Amino acid sequence: SHIYKKNHDVTKTWRGKTEQLLRVDDHDFTMRPAFGGPAIPVGVDVQVESLDSISEVDMDFTMTLYLRHYWRDERLSFPSTTNKSMTFDGRLVKKIWVPDVFFVHSKRSFIHDTTTDNIMLRVFPDGHVLYSMRITVTAMCNMDFSRFPLDSQTCSLELESYAYTDEDLMLYWKNGNESLKTDEKISLSQFLIQKFHTTSRLAFYSSTGWYNRLYINFTLRRHIFFFLLQTYFPATLMVMLSWVSFWIDRRAVPARVSLGITTVLTMSTIITGVNASMPRVSYIKAVDIYLWVSFVFVFLSVLEYAAVNYLTTVQERKERKLRERFPCTCGISHSKTMMLDGNYSESDANSLAGFTRNQMVPEEEKQEKMVVHLAMSNESNSSRNRGLKGHVGLRIIQNTHAIDKYSRLIFPGTYIFFNLIYWSVFS
Amino acid sequence: KREIKMRKLDSTKVRPLKSEQLLRIEDHDFALRPGFGGSPIPVGIDVQVESIDSISEVDMDFTMTLYLRHYWKDERLSFHSNKNKSMTFDGRLIKKIWVPDVFFVHSKRSFIHDTTVENVMLRVYPDGNVLFSLRITVSAMCFMDFSRFPLDTQNCSLELESYAYNEDDLMLYWKHGNKSLSTDEHISLSQFFIEEFSASSGLAFYSSTGWYNRLFINFALRRHIFFFVLQSYFPAMLMVMLSWVSFWIDRRAVPARVSLGITTVLTMSTIMTGVSASMPQVSYIKAVDVYLWISFLFVFLSVIEYAAVNYLTTIEERKQLKKRGKASGLYSIDAVQAMAFDGCFHDTDVDMDLTGFSDRCEENETRASAASISNVDTPRIKRKRSLKGNVGRIILQNNHVIDTYSRIIFPSVYIVFNFFYWGLYI
């Protein structure tokens, strides 16, 4: 025979099951409280746990929040001497009526379900119900990037009942503006969260009518520091590096050209780097303005050197023609003859007989040099026509082209001026 | 035909009853907690961490897999037994009895593993004690501070709390105090060193719902520096040293020094972009940023230094020519310098004027070769020694004084900076 021992549990006061207690069998969960009568008011309370991420490319944000509903359902009232509420977990939710709130413009959302569904139901003796759940929702936010990265974005999360219009369910913020609370340590790495506030409105759908809609609005201001370090500062340095070219001797053709070209290449890389993490919008962003103007500066420094080079060549050709009119050893045009020794020659350089000897030149070289000397002296007159006087010499001594001189002042001045205008407009 | 049914005597089978009958499931209302309406039920928690799967800086979260065990007493589940042995059930019975609704606060995604069946265990003792065990993977938020990245230590914690039952209904506590938290021996991360695991508990207040018990699993992670030394610090250091090579090259080699400086600037810029790619976009400066930007500054300054040297050399040259006073317009430049200016190869010294340069290298070459092959054995020509000593000395002074000082100043300042940096952060 089996002996059943009945354990006497002093902690247990209710012997009935919940279903019996709350009269769930009589409760038709498809019918809202006061069905056929006035609209049922449902209060909403939100505690934002975290803002997980803001995505510019997708133009959305992800938020985790505790969503609480408060309403009154007489069918759930039960007799109680202590007036204390009863707390149940999520499995009872399937058997009673709950409001069908959804997030308008949400892309993905889910109720967390570890270890069980994160849902709480608390019923008070007079039929008041508190229904709370923990949700992560990814919702759309239209962002305007015309002042990126010195911009502020305003996003909002919208709650609405899916089935019940204004006449059946009235959604309202339970405590007005204090219905929205945030955890203390809610923070984003890239943004400063300026404020959270709530609003409510009515939304009209032509096929179904007017619905109550609640809004959770927040404003995010972007931190500029990262972009200063990543984009603005390298661009400024590249522009400054391109100015170095104006101080280098204009005869150093490969040096100045490679300097200009490499700065253009680096600017191009910076520009591509910024656009990788941005959506492809059809207007110009603030950072685009800065980068493209800097790119133009760098580009102009390359063009400036091309102009200097071209004008120098033209000048030199003119001089050569000028010299050719005088029968002198200048016919061996200056730049075209091979010189002999590495020493600085202070004598009439065109009188090829008067070359100083570089003592450190080895014997073979000296031989060669003398040969060239002779060759040249055979070809030309020894007397040099000093027809070319001061002004040609002066021009020759002048290493720096006028364009370079002006550029050294104009380029930095214009760039600083542009910076002043840019930062005052956008900050 | 007669069917013979043989009844096998199964000695292992003691109870021919179903578990539902045994545990009196039909009477058990899973919506009511044990001791409903009375004092709060104590639920003990025990955790064994199986692995820390990943730590993500960009998302600022971590992923952990753990075995979560709950211990509580429910008289409704007590059954008669003379051996005092427990009965073990799998996960499908969970749906019919009451279990605590523990969740992970600040978790982003989590799931109970369900291969091959739900990884859930239920063990009931005759007196009603229940052991409920789950295997869960959870991704939870961890606020990270990167101001000392990559020489940083991060403190993260996983928080457990009951969702519906506050302090008056359910008391959550660590079953064995600080020893409730155990880890697998070979738990390790590639990028971090796990310093310690510790358990703590606290209370959390929600204004609408009251006070809840919260349990914390805290762990500290120290980042391994080696990867970043190899990936960022070492290349940056090499680029700076490469830029110093420019001070030892002849200052007349203009394209060489300029392209050396520019290419090191470009490489430093690439290294800096590479580091920021895998990092969140924080609004403060990180330790690695400090190092890379100062190295960039050194490289940039070496380019500026050469611009200064070149400019001063040009001015010096002009002064020398003015001093000579001859409007001859011709002076000799040695082959190296000529090559430096126009990029054409000269094998002997060139006669150049100060404004022009070869626009056609071939012309130059042919004339040079023509000049050299004719008249090989002519007698010597006496050269006029009009140049004096001091001019020669100035011309022969190939090293500008700035270069000489830079060779010492740049390396020593960089070494001092390194001492400060590593002393401060390590």
Side-chain angles (χ1 to χ4, degrees):
Chain A
S1 65
H2 303 272
I3 304 169
Y4 285 102
K5 266 180 73 175
K6 206 148 157 212
N7 289 329
H8 185 66
D9 184 359
V10 294
T11 59
K12 226 159 124 167
T13 48
W14 295 104
R15 292 238 166 233
K17 294 178 81 172
T18 330
E19 277 98 351
Q20 290 167 8
L21 187 69
L22 296 179
R23 289 167 287 132
V24 171
D25 301 317
D26 299 331
H27 183 117
D28 183 356
F29 60 71
T30 57
M31 304 237 284
R32 67 166 179 91
F35 189 79
I40 175 172
V42 174
V44 172
D45 189 329
V46 167
Q47 179 166 340
V48 178
E49 190 182 54
S50 65
L51 264 172
D52 298 330
S53 66
I54 318 271
S55 165
E56 281 88 17
V57 180
D58 300 323
M59 284 221 216
D60 64 25
F61 66 95
T62 306
M63 186 191 274
T64 302
L65 56 130
Y66 297 92
L67 179 62
R68 302 176 188 114
H69 308 70
Y70 302 81
W71 73 95
R72 180 148 189 250
D73 192 343
E74 290 81 8
R75 299 170 289 180
L76 296 173
S77 62
F78 56 93
S80 161
T81 45
T82 50
N83 206 27
K84 278 184 70 179
S85 63
M86 294 207 296
T87 306
F88 305 102
D89 68 13
R91 283 171 287 187
L92 206 64
V93 169
K94 295 180 190 54
K95 303 194 183 182
I96 64 170
W97 178 89
V98 289
D100 57 343
V101 170
F102 82 109
F103 298 96
V104 195
H105 300 122
S106 69
K107 295 183 177 183
R108 282 176 306 280
S109 55
F110 58 95
I111 301 176
H112 289 259
D113 61 357
T114 307
T115 57
T116 52
D117 276 338
N118 291 179
I119 294 177
M120 171 180 92
L121 199 63
R122 193 177 281 179
V123 183
F124 292 84
D126 59 353
H128 273 106
V129 186
L130 159 58
Y131 172 49
S132 164
M133 51 182 138
R134 183 165 160 259
I135 299 171
T136 291
V137 56
T138 302
M140 229 171 70
C141 173
N142 244 339
M143 302 188 185
D144 174 28
F145 295 115
S146 50
R147 293 175 66 99
F148 178 90
L150 302 119
D151 57 343
S152 263
Q153 302 297 344
T154 305
C155 293
S156 70
L157 187 62
E158 305 164 31
L159 291 90
E160 194 177 295
S161 163
Y162 198 83
Y164 299 101
T165 63
D166 201 20
E167 289 146 23
D168 286 316
L169 193 147
M170 271 181 355
L171 218 52
Y172 67 100
W173 287 111
K174 182 131 181 77
N175 301 316
N177 223 9
E178 276 106 61
S179 315
L180 187 59
K181 281 177 287 291
T182 60
D183 272 7
E184 332 69 46
K185 42 192 180 71
I186 194 173
S187 69
L188 286 160
S189 54
Q190 207 194 120
F191 292 90
L192 172 72
I193 302 170
Q194 275 183 324
K195 56 174 191 168
F196 272 94
H197 70 280
T198 60
T199 47
S200 72
R201 272 214 290 268
L202 284 166
F204 180 68
Y205 294 82
S206 48
S207 14
T208 41
W210 290 91
Y211 287 82
N212 279 115
R213 188 178 288 188
L214 303 180
Y215 296 82
I216 299 171
N217 308 300
F218 54 98
T219 312
L220 303 162
R221 193 159 53 87
R222 200 181 301 269
H223 284 138
I224 182 74
F225 185 78
F226 174 79
F227 293 93
L228 274 180
L229 215 58
Q230 192 73 3
T231 310
Y232 285 95
F233 201 46
T236 310
L237 283 179
M238 283 303 121
V239 175
M240 289 201 232
L241 213 55
S242 70
W243 300 338
V244 165
S245 156
F246 305 137
W247 297 84
I248 291 175
D249 199 318
R250 65 183 166 136
R251 293 165 295 168
V253 185
R256 286 187 70 163
V257 169
S258 67
L259 181 56
I261 275 298
T262 311
T263 43
V264 167
L265 175 66
T266 314
M267 276 306 301
S268 176
T269 310
I270 292 173
I271 290 174
T272 320
V274 168
N275 287 329
S277 61
M278 290 296 301
R280 298 179 193 166
V281 289
S282 62
Y283 45 85
I284 198 159
K285 306 186 282 287
V287 68
D288 282 343
I289 294 177
Y290 195 90
L291 290 177
W292 280 103
V293 171
S294 304
F295 187 84
V296 164
F297 272 84
V298 168
F299 190 73
L300 284 177
S301 79
V302 177
L303 290 183
E304 182 265 358
Y305 183 64
V308 166
N309 188 307
Y310 178 70
L311 292 173
T312 305
T313 313
V314 163
Q315 184 187 58
E316 179 206 314
R317 219 178 294 153
K318 270 195 241 157
E319 275 159 25
R320 208 186 317 148
K321 283 203 189 117
L322 214 59
R323 256 176 267 130
E324 271 161 7
R325 286 199 233 127
F326 301 97
C328 68
T329 48
C330 317
I332 308 160
S333 66
H334 308 181
S335 59
K336 301 304 182 285
T337 53
M338 301 286 285
M339 267 309 287
L340 308 185
D341 53 46
N343 280 356
Y344 178 77
S345 166
E346 53 96 31
S347 61
D348 308 355
N350 275 356
S351 113
L352 293 165
F355 281 111
T356 55
R357 174 178 301 230
N358 182 352
Q359 282 165 334
M360 291 184 315
V361 173
E363 278 307 307
E364 323 76 67
E365 256 184 68
K366 284 184 202 162
Q367 203 86 358
E368 231 177 337
K369 284 175 185 173
M370 281 191 279
V371 160
V372 180
H373 274 302
L374 285 175
M376 288 175 177
S377 62
N378 288 343
E379 293 167 6
S380 59
N381 293 343
S382 45
S383 68
R384 184 160 167 271
N385 194 332
R386 282 291 208 89
L388 297 173
K389 278 294 184 206
H391 61 279
V392 175
L394 275 170
R395 214 183 304 137
I396 288 159
I397 293 168
Q398 179 188 338
N399 283 344
T400 315
H401 201 276
I403 295 184
D404 263 347
K405 265 219 185 95
Y406 290 137
S407 300
R408 287 176 195 172
L409 295 163
I410 290 178
F411 273 64
T414 318
Y415 194 68
I416 289 170
F417 183 63
F418 158 71
N419 266 289
L420 286 172
I421 294 183
Y422 181 89
W423 293 107
S424 52
V425 166
F426 283 108
S427 280
Chain B
K1 204 177 189 188
R2 239 180 37 172
E3 287 172 20
I4 303 166
K5 274 196 191 152
M6 272 184 62
R7 189 133 158 231
K8 290 211 185 103
L9 189 66
D10 186 356
S11 52
T12 58
K13 223 155 118 168
V14 173
R15 298 178 189 282
L17 305 166
K18 295 176 77 173
S19 43
E20 275 100 349
Q21 290 169 8
L22 187 69
L23 296 178
R24 289 168 286 132
I25 294 295
E26 282 86 28
D27 299 333
H28 184 117
D29 181 359
F30 59 70
L32 289 178
R33 66 168 180 90
F36 189 79
S39 56
I41 175 171
V43 174
I45 299 284
D46 190 326
V47 167
Q48 179 167 339
V49 178
E50 191 182 47
S51 66
I52 297 185
D53 299 331
S54 67
I55 318 270
S56 166
E57 282 86 18
V58 180
D59 301 323
M60 285 221 217
D61 65 22
F62 65 94
T63 306
M64 186 191 273
T65 302
L66 56 130
Y67 296 93
L68 179 63
R69 303 174 188 115
H70 310 68
Y71 303 80
W72 74 95
K73 185 168 187 210
D74 192 344
E75 291 75 15
R76 299 171 290 181
L77 297 172
S78 63
F79 56 93
H80 171 73
S81 158
N82 32 30
K83 272 183 286 180
N84 208 27
K85 278 185 73 179
S86 64
M87 293 207 296
T88 306
F89 304 100
D90 72 10
R92 286 167 284 188
L93 206 64
I94 301 299
K95 298 178 188 50
K96 304 192 181 183
I97 65 168
W98 179 88
V99 289
D101 59 342
V102 169
F103 81 109
F104 300 97
V105 196
H106 299 121
S107 70
K108 293 185 176 183
R109 283 173 306 281
S110 53
F111 60 94
I112 301 174
H113 288 258
D114 60 358
T115 308
T116 56
V117 292
E118 285 237 330
N119 293 178
V120 172
M121 171 183 91
L122 195 64
R123 190 176 285 176
V124 185
Y125 291 83
D127 59 355
N129 274 310
V130 185
L131 159 59
F132 172 48
S133 167
L134 305 153
R135 182 164 162 260
I136 299 171
T137 291
V138 55
S139 288
M141 233 170 67
C142 173
F143 187 70
M144 301 187 185
D145 175 27
F146 295 113
S147 49
R148 293 176 66 100
F149 178 91
L151 302 119
D152 57 341
T153 300
Q154 301 297 343
N155 285 311
C156 293
S157 71
L158 187 62
E159 304 165 31
L160 290 90
E161 196 177 294
S162 161
Y163 195 81
Y165 299 101
N166 58 20
E167 216 193 2
D168 303 323
D169 286 316
L170 192 147
M171 271 183 353
L172 219 53
Y173 66 100
W174 286 112
K175 183 126 182 82
H176 308 289
N178 225 6
K179 291 186 217 70
S180 315
L181 191 56
S182 57
T183 60
D184 273 7
E185 327 72 44
H186 43 262
I187 192 174
S188 69
L189 287 161
S190 55
Q191 208 193 120
F192 292 89
F193 172 67
I194 302 170
E195 277 188 344
E196 46 147 340
F197 270 95
S198 68
S200 56
S201 67
L203 284 165
F205 179 67
Y206 295 83
S207 46
S208 352
T209 42
W211 288 92
Y212 287 81
N213 279 115
R214 189 179 286 189
L215 302 179
F216 299 85
I217 299 172
N218 310 300
F219 55 99
L221 301 163
R222 193 158 49 84
R223 200 182 300 268
H224 284 144
I225 181 75
F226 184 75
F227 172 76
F228 294 93
V229 165
L230 214 61
Q231 193 74 2
S232 306
Y233 287 97
F234 199 50
M237 219 182 288
L238 284 181
M239 283 302 118
V240 176
M241 291 199 222
L242 211 57
S243 71
W244 300 337
V245 165
S246 155
F247 305 137
W248 297 83
I249 291 175
D250 198 316
R251 66 183 165 136
R252 294 168 294 171
V254 186
R257 286 190 70 166
V258 167
S259 58
L260 180 58
I262 274 297
T263 311
T264 44
V265 166
L266 179 63
T267 313
M268 276 306 301
S269 175
T270 310
I271 291 173
M272 288 190 309
T273 322
V275 168
S276 309
S278 62
M279 290 295 301
Q281 301 172 347
V282 290
S283 64
Y284 45 84
I285 198 158
K286 304 185 284 287
V288 68
D289 283 341
V290 169
Y291 195 89
L292 291 178
W293 277 99
I294 292 187
S295 303
F296 187 84
L297 196 69
F298 271 83
V299 167
F300 188 74
L301 284 176
S302 78
V303 178
I304 304 283
E305 184 264 0
Y306 182 65
V309 165
N310 187 298
Y311 181 67
L312 293 172
T313 304
T314 313
I315 290 185
E316 193 184 280
E317 256 177 21
R318 216 181 306 153
K319 275 197 232 149
Q320 295 304 321
L321 288 166
K322 278 198 186 132
K323 236 196 279 182
R324 294 307 123 213
K326 311 285 180 172
S328 59
L330 261 185
Y331 71 109
S332 77
I333 311 173
D334 69 0
V336 172
Q337 196 168 20
M339 269 193 280
F341 285 152
D342 57 20
C344 298
F345 177 71
H346 304 282
D347 52 7
T348 50
D349 295 345
V350 177
D351 170 20
M352 286 179 93
D353 70 32
L354 293 168
T355 55
F357 34 72
S358 324
D359 48 39
R360 262 171 280 150
C361 296
E362 301 77 49
E363 209 182 272
N364 231 0
E365 297 307 315
T366 47
R367 209 172 294 177
S369 48
S372 57
I373 43 178
S374 59
N375 298 320
V376 186
D377 35 32
T378 40
R380 277 179 199 219
I381 292 182
K382 200 143 163 247
R383 291 222 186 133
K384 224 200 283 183
R385 276 288 211 91
S386 42
L387 259 191
K388 292 291 185 241
N390 52 357
V391 176
R393 240 180 281 136
I394 291 171
I395 302 311
L396 288 172
Q397 182 186 337
N398 286 339
N399 295 322
H400 202 275
V401 62
I402 293 182
D403 265 345
T404 315
Y405 287 140
S406 300
R407 287 175 194 171
I408 301 166
I409 290 177
F410 273 64
S412 48
V413 174
Y414 193 67
I415 288 171
V416 167
F417 157 68
N418 266 288
F419 273 126
F420 271 117
Y421 182 87
W422 295 108
L424 185 66
Y425 280 108
I426 291 193

